[in-house]
Amino acid sequence: GPVVIGGLPAAMSVNGGNISYNGALTAGKDTTINSTGNVLFGATADSGGSAASYFHSINTTAAGDITMTGAEGGTFAFGAVTETSSGGHVFMNGATVATAAGNNLTGAQSYSGTVVLGANTTLTPGTGDITFAGNLDGATTNTKTLSIGTAGSHAGNVTLGTVGANNPLQSFSITADKVVTLNGDIHAETALNLINQVLVGNTITVSMINQNA
């Protein structure tokens, strides 16, 4: 059933081997999850409420895979989301990750390790940065889309590594009021839409597989 993390103390740390949350997770406080194995979010995950004072952070670190089955912050946004896989993948299957500024947090999102999109995915940030420290791929070739930010709603920076090297995305769109930094090659089927400043961190190749589709 549902899992609610609340009450005192002001922050919660969960440590273990394989960790699974099979029901909907509600983080009523800043939450840190450390796993020596895999972490599974089997349903949705949300912060504690709609008011800014409830926008808590969730920080997940795993030696293996992190799998997000449902939306994160789809009902109540998190103040920050961090997903770090040191030896596996971050599987984003829930279509939405939503963060917002509040509770002394900026709404930043950070992903380390290879990220795999299992669904068409929208990242809705607050004023903080969105950072992909590793590579990003679709689960299958030319079928998944990624959209980051919307005009006027994302005042942070976006940093990306290589995108679509194994399984190109169908398309992706990035909107940032500050700087988009590309540190790797970009592979997509039909569309690449970058709104605002773009800083190329290295020499990169942008490959559109079917530009006229």
Tab-separated table of all heavy atoms in Angstrom, residues 65-95:
chain	number	residue	atom	x	y	z
A	65	ASP	N	20.656	-0.437	-10.180
A	65	ASP	CA	19.684	0.341	-10.948
A	65	ASP	C	18.728	1.113	-10.034
A	65	ASP	O	18.403	0.665	-8.929
A	65	ASP	CB	18.842	-0.573	-11.842
A	65	ASP	CG	19.661	-1.277	-12.901
A	65	ASP	OD1	20.689	-0.722	-13.332
A	65	ASP	OD2	19.271	-2.398	-13.302
A	66	ILE	N	18.278	2.259	-10.535
A	66	ILE	CA	17.168	3.002	-9.932
A	66	ILE	C	16.047	3.023	-10.962
A	66	ILE	O	16.244	3.481	-12.090
A	66	ILE	CB	17.573	4.441	-9.570
A	66	ILE	CG1	18.727	4.448	-8.565
A	66	ILE	CG2	16.373	5.211	-9.021
A	66	ILE	CD1	19.319	5.834	-8.318
A	67	THR	N	14.885	2.509	-10.577
A	67	THR	CA	13.756	2.434	-11.503
A	67	THR	C	12.598	3.255	-10.963
A	67	THR	O	12.113	3.011	-9.854
A	67	THR	CB	13.295	0.982	-11.719
A	67	THR	OG1	14.383	0.210	-12.211
A	67	THR	CG2	12.149	0.918	-12.717
A	68	MET	N	12.176	4.236	-11.750
A	68	MET	CA	11.038	5.072	-11.398
A	68	MET	C	9.861	4.656	-12.272
A	68	MET	O	9.814	4.990	-13.458
A	68	MET	CB	11.385	6.546	-11.592
A	68	MET	CG	12.508	7.014	-10.687
A	68	MET	SD	12.970	8.752	-10.960
A	68	MET	CE	13.847	8.622	-12.520
A	69	THR	N	8.923	3.916	-11.693
A	69	THR	CA	7.807	3.364	-12.457
A	69	THR	C	6.721	4.395	-12.704
A	69	THR	O	6.133	4.454	-13.790
A	69	THR	CB	7.223	2.148	-11.725
A	69	THR	OG1	8.259	1.178	-11.513
A	69	THR	CG2	6.107	1.510	-12.526
A	70	GLY	N	6.430	5.202	-11.695
A	70	GLY	CA	5.381	6.217	-11.819
A	70	GLY	C	5.959	7.611	-11.859
A	70	GLY	O	7.178	7.818	-11.781
A	71	ALA	N	5.077	8.584	-11.967
A	71	ALA	CA	5.505	9.990	-11.996
A	71	ALA	C	6.124	10.379	-10.660
A	71	ALA	O	5.710	9.910	-9.598
A	71	ALA	CB	4.313	10.886	-12.313
A	72	GLU	N	7.120	11.257	-10.710
A	72	GLU	CA	7.694	11.844	-9.503
A	72	GLU	C	7.260	13.304	-9.425
A	72	GLU	O	7.525	14.090	-10.339
A	72	GLU	CB	9.222	11.772	-9.532
A	72	GLU	CG	9.778	10.416	-9.148
A	72	GLU	CD	11.257	10.502	-8.808
A	72	GLU	OE1	12.049	10.815	-9.705
A	72	GLU	OE2	11.604	10.251	-7.643
A	73	GLY	N	6.588	13.650	-8.344
A	73	GLY	CA	6.117	15.018	-8.194
A	73	GLY	C	4.941	15.371	-9.078
A	73	GLY	O	4.624	16.544	-9.253
A	74	GLY	N	4.277	14.373	-9.618
A	74	GLY	CA	3.164	14.636	-10.528
A	74	GLY	C	1.976	15.287	-9.858
A	74	GLY	O	1.273	16.095	-10.474
A	75	THR	N	1.755	14.965	-8.591
A	75	THR	CA	0.665	15.583	-7.820
A	75	THR	C	1.198	16.721	-6.956
A	75	THR	O	0.685	17.842	-6.993
A	75	THR	CB	-0.038	14.539	-6.943
A	75	THR	OG1	-0.571	13.501	-7.776
A	75	THR	CG2	-1.175	15.172	-6.158
A	76	PHE	N	2.239	16.448	-6.156
A	76	PHE	CA	2.877	17.455	-5.323
A	76	PHE	C	4.368	17.476	-5.654
A	76	PHE	O	5.074	16.488	-5.432
A	76	PHE	CB	2.664	17.167	-3.840
A	76	PHE	CG	1.226	17.162	-3.415
A	76	PHE	CD1	0.691	16.096	-2.709
A	76	PHE	CD2	0.389	18.229	-3.717
A	76	PHE	CE1	-0.635	16.087	-2.320
A	76	PHE	CE2	-0.943	18.231	-3.320
A	76	PHE	CZ	-1.460	17.156	-2.624
A	77	ALA	N	4.838	18.602	-6.185
A	77	ALA	CA	6.212	18.702	-6.670
A	77	ALA	C	7.222	18.566	-5.534
A	77	ALA	O	6.967	18.949	-4.385
A	77	ALA	CB	6.413	20.035	-7.389
A	78	PHE	N	8.396	18.040	-5.881
A	78	PHE	CA	9.514	17.998	-4.954
A	78	PHE	C	10.304	19.306	-5.023
A	78	PHE	O	10.299	20.007	-6.037
A	78	PHE	CB	10.453	16.831	-5.290
A	78	PHE	CG	9.924	15.492	-4.904
A	78	PHE	CD1	9.336	14.661	-5.851
A	78	PHE	CD2	10.019	15.041	-3.599
A	78	PHE	CE1	8.836	13.417	-5.492
A	78	PHE	CE2	9.538	13.804	-3.232
A	78	PHE	CZ	8.938	12.983	-4.179
A	79	GLY	N	11.011	19.621	-3.944
A	79	GLY	CA	11.902	20.773	-3.955
A	79	GLY	C	13.211	20.475	-4.651
A	79	GLY	O	13.891	21.389	-5.128
A	80	ALA	N	13.572	19.200	-4.749
A	80	ALA	CA	14.765	18.780	-5.474
A	80	ALA	C	14.683	17.268	-5.672
A	80	ALA	O	14.154	16.547	-4.815
A	80	ALA	CB	16.041	19.146	-4.728
A	81	VAL	N	15.215	16.794	-6.801
A	81	VAL	CA	15.287	15.363	-7.088
A	81	VAL	C	16.714	15.046	-7.517
A	81	VAL	O	17.257	15.680	-8.433
A	81	VAL	CB	14.307	14.945	-8.204
A	81	VAL	CG1	14.582	13.513	-8.663
A	81	VAL	CG2	12.865	15.057	-7.718
A	82	THR	N	17.324	14.061	-6.855
A	82	THR	CA	18.664	13.591	-7.220
A	82	THR	C	18.629	12.083	-7.344
A	82	THR	O	18.189	11.391	-6.418
A	82	THR	CB	19.710	13.994	-6.164
A	82	THR	OG1	19.694	15.410	-5.992
A	82	THR	CG2	21.107	13.563	-6.588
A	83	GLU	N	19.065	11.569	-8.493
A	83	GLU	CA	19.114	10.125	-8.730
A	83	GLU	C	20.539	9.776	-9.166
A	83	GLU	O	21.005	10.236	-10.209
A	83	GLU	CB	18.125	9.705	-9.830
A	83	GLU	CG	16.696	10.227	-9.659
A	83	GLU	CD	15.901	9.461	-8.610
A	83	GLU	OE1	16.422	8.444	-8.100
A	83	GLU	OE2	14.775	9.887	-8.315
A	84	THR	N	21.233	8.947	-8.377
A	84	THR	CA	22.625	8.609	-8.659
A	84	THR	C	22.796	7.095	-8.678
A	84	THR	O	22.622	6.430	-7.656
A	84	THR	CB	23.573	9.208	-7.605
A	84	THR	OG1	23.388	10.623	-7.554
A	84	THR	CG2	25.021	8.889	-7.936
A	85	SER	N	23.147	6.553	-9.845
A	85	SER	CA	23.449	5.131	-9.977
A	85	SER	C	24.929	4.996	-10.303
A	85	SER	O	25.380	5.419	-11.365
A	85	SER	CB	22.611	4.486	-11.083
A	85	SER	OG	23.077	3.172	-11.357
A	86	SER	N	25.695	4.394	-9.395
A	86	SER	CA	27.145	4.301	-9.596
A	86	SER	C	27.537	3.126	-10.478
A	86	SER	O	28.611	3.145	-11.089
A	86	SER	CB	27.858	4.184	-8.244
A	86	SER	OG	27.424	3.024	-7.537
A	87	GLY	N	26.656	2.102	-10.585
A	87	GLY	CA	27.039	0.930	-11.354
A	87	GLY	C	25.948	0.365	-12.225
A	87	GLY	O	26.090	-0.735	-12.782
A	88	GLY	N	24.842	1.088	-12.360
A	88	GLY	CA	23.719	0.583	-13.147
A	88	GLY	C	23.128	1.681	-14.010
A	88	GLY	O	23.838	2.469	-14.621
A	89	HIS	N	21.793	1.715	-14.051
A	89	HIS	CA	21.072	2.682	-14.876
A	89	HIS	C	20.006	3.388	-14.031
A	89	HIS	O	19.560	2.870	-13.008
A	89	HIS	CB	20.371	1.995	-16.053
A	89	HIS	CG	21.285	1.299	-16.992
A	89	HIS	ND1	21.796	0.039	-16.723
A	89	HIS	CD2	21.782	1.656	-18.204
A	89	HIS	CE1	22.572	-0.334	-17.726
A	89	HIS	NE2	22.581	0.618	-18.635
A	90	VAL	N	19.604	4.542	-14.496
A	90	VAL	CA	18.431	5.232	-13.965
A	90	VAL	C	17.334	5.084	-15.009
A	90	VAL	O	17.409	5.661	-16.094
A	90	VAL	CB	18.714	6.717	-13.684
A	90	VAL	CG1	17.441	7.407	-13.200
A	90	VAL	CG2	19.832	6.872	-12.656
A	91	PHE	N	16.332	4.252	-14.702
A	91	PHE	CA	15.238	3.995	-15.632
A	91	PHE	C	14.084	4.939	-15.307
A	91	PHE	O	13.488	4.862	-14.235
A	91	PHE	CB	14.770	2.544	-15.531
A	91	PHE	CG	15.776	1.540	-16.019
A	91	PHE	CD1	16.528	0.800	-15.120
A	91	PHE	CD2	15.974	1.342	-17.382
A	91	PHE	CE1	17.465	-0.121	-15.566
A	91	PHE	CE2	16.903	0.424	-17.839
A	91	PHE	CZ	17.658	-0.308	-16.932
A	92	MET	N	13.776	5.825	-16.253
A	92	MET	CA	12.692	6.785	-16.078
A	92	MET	C	11.492	6.309	-16.875
A	92	MET	O	11.402	6.530	-18.082
A	92	MET	CB	13.148	8.181	-16.523
A	92	MET	CG	14.359	8.696	-15.754
A	92	MET	SD	14.962	10.327	-16.311
A	92	MET	CE	13.625	11.368	-15.733
A	93	ASN	N	10.569	5.637	-16.190
A	93	ASN	CA	9.401	5.038	-16.847
A	93	ASN	C	8.100	5.750	-16.507
A	93	ASN	O	7.037	5.340	-16.971
A	93	ASN	CB	9.282	3.565	-16.457
A	93	ASN	CG	10.510	2.750	-16.840
A	93	ASN	OD1	11.181	3.055	-17.822
A	93	ASN	ND2	10.820	1.716	-16.052
A	94	GLY	N	8.175	6.797	-15.704
A	94	GLY	CA	6.958	7.402	-15.176
A	94	GLY	C	6.445	8.615	-15.902
A	94	GLY	O	5.464	9.225	-15.482
A	95	ALA	N	7.121	9.032	-16.970
A	95	ALA	CA	6.677	10.095	-17.873
A	95	ALA	C	6.861	11.506	-17.329
A	95	ALA	O	7.026	12.445	-18.117
A	95	ALA	CB	5.220	9.902	-18.296
